[in-house]
């Protein structure tokens, strides 16, 4: 066992876990941040997507040892203070989710896209979101939600 300090959602957390533990496991089982989901465990589905220093990463294949050196992580719980991020509002307006299981990963990937590129084309959205799987097939509503959030954000900028 080893002690690690993790900066998540702008807060430092101390955890005592075995070296090599998956970051996803630490988030869910040690810190109670269960918004990040376990899907495949092998970086193939995107359900566990979080941000590491602003970039989307798959938490299931990141070991805690590799992120405990001052890097900043953001999970779905830290995307906005009260669920009012433009993407979350667009998700509600377009009724994007079906079962909901993949949706925090979808939102975190989409948030990283809009931070890099506030006005993506439909092709850019499809390309960036490729690899975040939705077993319910909500892809078209997700694309519409991202376009809506992009319009809202750029209109208010
Ligand atoms: S659970 Fe991490 S990519 Fe599927
Ligand atoms: S909404 Fe069910 S897996 Fe995406």
């Amino acid at each position: 066992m080893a002690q690690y300090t993790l900066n998540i959602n702008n807060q430092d957390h101390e955890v005592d876990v075995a070296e090599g533990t998956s970051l996803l496991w630490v988030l869910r089982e040690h810190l109670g941040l269960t918004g990040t989901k376990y899907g495949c465990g092998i970086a193939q589905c995107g359900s566990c997507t979080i941000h590491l220093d602003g970039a989307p990463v798959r938490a299931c294949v990141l070991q805690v040892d590799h992120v405990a050196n001052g890097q900043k992580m953001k999970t779905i719980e830290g995307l906005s203070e009260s669920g009012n991020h433009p993407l979350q509002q667009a998700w509600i307006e377009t009724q994007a989710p079906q079962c909901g299981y993949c949706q925090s990963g979808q939102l975190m990937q989409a948030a990283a896209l809009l931070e890099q590129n506030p006005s993506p084309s439909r092709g850019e959205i499809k390309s960036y979101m490729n690899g975040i799987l939705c077993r319910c097939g909500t892809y078209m509503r997700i694309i519409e939600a991202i376009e809506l959030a992009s319009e809202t954000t750029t209109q208010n900028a």
Side-chain angles (χ1 to χ4, degrees):
M1 300 289 273
Q3 196 166 63
Y4 300 96
T5 303
L6 305 175
N7 187 281
I8 302 165
N9 301 332
N10 292 319
Q11 207 181 330
D12 280 342
H13 298 267
E14 304 284 334
V15 291
D16 207 2
V17 296
E19 289 170 36
T21 301
S22 152
L23 176 62
L24 178 60
W25 200 251
V26 174
L27 292 172
R28 291 182 54 83
E29 298 298 320
H30 294 266
L31 298 174
L33 295 168
T34 55
T36 307
K37 303 301 185 197
Y38 176 87
C40 63
I42 53 169
Q44 294 296 307
C45 75
S47 293
C48 64
T49 300
I50 65 164
H51 294 182
L52 179 64
D53 288 337
V57 293
R58 312 293 181 247
C60 66
V61 290
L62 266 180
Q63 294 182 0
V64 66
D65 335 32
H66 297 163
V67 294
N69 47 11
Q71 289 165 290
K72 287 184 173 294
M73 285 161 266
K74 190 189 286 182
T75 68
I76 188 71
E77 290 86 352
L79 188 60
S80 68
E81 297 214 339
S82 52
N84 62 353
H85 186 283
L87 281 165
Q88 289 168 312
Q89 291 178 326
W91 244 243
I92 293 167
E93 198 160 325
T94 58
Q95 294 286 289
Q98 190 164 319
C99 81
Y101 198 83
C102 70
Q103 299 289 331
S104 58
Q106 305 280 3
L107 277 160
M108 295 308 286
Q109 184 80 9
L113 167 63
L114 293 188
E115 276 164 30
Q116 287 175 27
N117 179 2
S119 301
S121 66
R122 183 161 279 211
E124 287 170 331
I125 293 172
K126 283 185 181 172
S127 163
Y128 199 86
M129 297 302 291
N130 188 26
I132 311 289
L133 304 184
C134 175
R135 293 149 187 85
C136 300
T138 63
Y139 298 112
M140 282 316 296
R141 291 206 300 272
I142 287 169
I143 291 169
E144 283 163 21
I146 295 170
E147 288 174 338
L148 179 60
S150 164
E151 281 165 27
T152 313
T153 313
T154 47
Q155 272 166 15
N156 294 338

